[in-house]
Amino acid sequence: MSSNTTVRTARRRTVRIAAAALTAAAALTLTACNGSDANASKPAAGAESNGGGSSAGAQGSGGKADPAAKVDTDAGAAGKQSSGAPAAGGDRAGSGVERCHTSGLEASFATGEDAAPDPNAGGSTTTSIVLTNAGDRTCKIGGFAGVDLTSENGGQVWSLARSSAKYGSITLGPGDSTDFTISLGMTDESEEGSYKPAFAVVTPPNETASLKLEWPWGALVDQRAATHPATFVNPIG
């Protein structure tokens, strides 16, 4: 073999060795990059475990949860419930007191000296009807009673209008009383256009049965067809 042939062969070997070395280096670089990307795409095992433990603790089943946080959460929920709805005890107490029924009530006109309406006062005088709890249980009453004035034979009925006054409810124990007023437009019975009631038929709020009272006063201005009569009913209490 000539010296030129020997030199060319040595050069080809050197090129092949260099190429092989470059290929190996490239493979190592790709392997390192792939390994780094794979690790970056997966969460660490410790972090995943800690996340699960934290979630369980927040639900009250893990030992790492902060007890104070759970207490604060419960207190907040209780606060929202108490501010948004009445207490259960209050509901039971309220529902335990029924409304007053006609069968357990007595009605009467207040007829004392100061209770008598002034026949000369026009529409600025009043009369009071007293409602007494004649039963053996406590009851609640409130709102407007229905009042129908009737003539002697019952042929002329005047269903009194109601005022626009606000009202609440009153609790009556056995024997307790409350009242409501009727504003009156009084006149002389001899005057033309007068109306002389014989009875007042009183229906307590939310009831259908009534209590019938004799009318103790004089005549009224007949305003049965008036839009704003001087005679009208005011709320209880």
Side-chain angles (χ1 to χ4, degrees):
M1 183 180 294
S2 66
S3 61
N4 290 337
T5 301
T6 302
V7 170
R8 284 197 297 270
T9 302
R11 286 178 179 175
R12 283 197 295 270
R13 288 178 179 175
T14 301
V15 170
R16 285 198 299 270
I17 292 171
L22 289 172
T23 301
L28 289 173
T29 301
L30 288 173
T31 302
C33 290
N34 290 338
S36 176
D37 291 343
N39 290 336
S41 64
K42 294 182 180 179
E48 186 175 6
S49 176
N50 290 342
S54 175
S55 175
Q59 296 172 2
S61 60
K64 293 183 180 180
D66 182 0
K70 187 174 188 304
V71 170
D72 289 342
T73 301
D74 292 345
K80 289 180 182 178
Q81 291 175 356
S82 63
S83 63
D91 287 343
R92 288 195 294 270
S95 62
V97 180
E98 296 182 10
R99 75 168 187 270
C100 298
H101 298 292
T102 304
S103 58
L105 293 172
E106 292 180 353
S108 62
F109 278 98
T111 55
E113 183 177 349
D114 295 337
D118 182 359
N120 300 315
S124 61
T125 190
T126 62
T127 183
S128 295
I129 292 181
V130 179
L131 298 174
T132 302
N133 181 2
D136 57 2
R137 64 177 181 84
T138 298
C139 63
K140 282 188 175 182
I141 191 168
F144 289 86
V147 178
D148 294 323
L149 303 181
T150 65
S151 58
E152 188 66 42
N153 60 8
Q156 295 179 316
V157 179
W158 185 355
S159 296
L160 300 187
R162 298 172 179 179
S163 73
S164 59
K166 295 181 179 181
Y167 59 87
S169 62
I170 298 172
T171 300
L172 299 178
D176 290 345
S177 298
T178 186
D179 67 355
F180 65 93
T181 62
I182 302 175
S183 295
L184 302 175
M186 301 194 75
T187 188
D188 191 282
E189 189 174 348
S190 61
E191 290 289 330
E192 185 178 355
S194 66
Y195 177 88
K196 179 62 170 72
F199 301 98
V201 180
V202 179
T203 306
N206 303 307
E207 292 290 296
T208 55
S210 303
L211 302 166
K212 190 174 183 179
L213 304 175
E214 289 189 13
W215 182 258
W217 316 121
L220 305 172
V221 178
D222 190 352
Q223 295 180 315
R224 284 175 289 171
T227 304
H228 301 288
T231 299
F232 55 85
V233 179
N234 297 299
I236 293 172

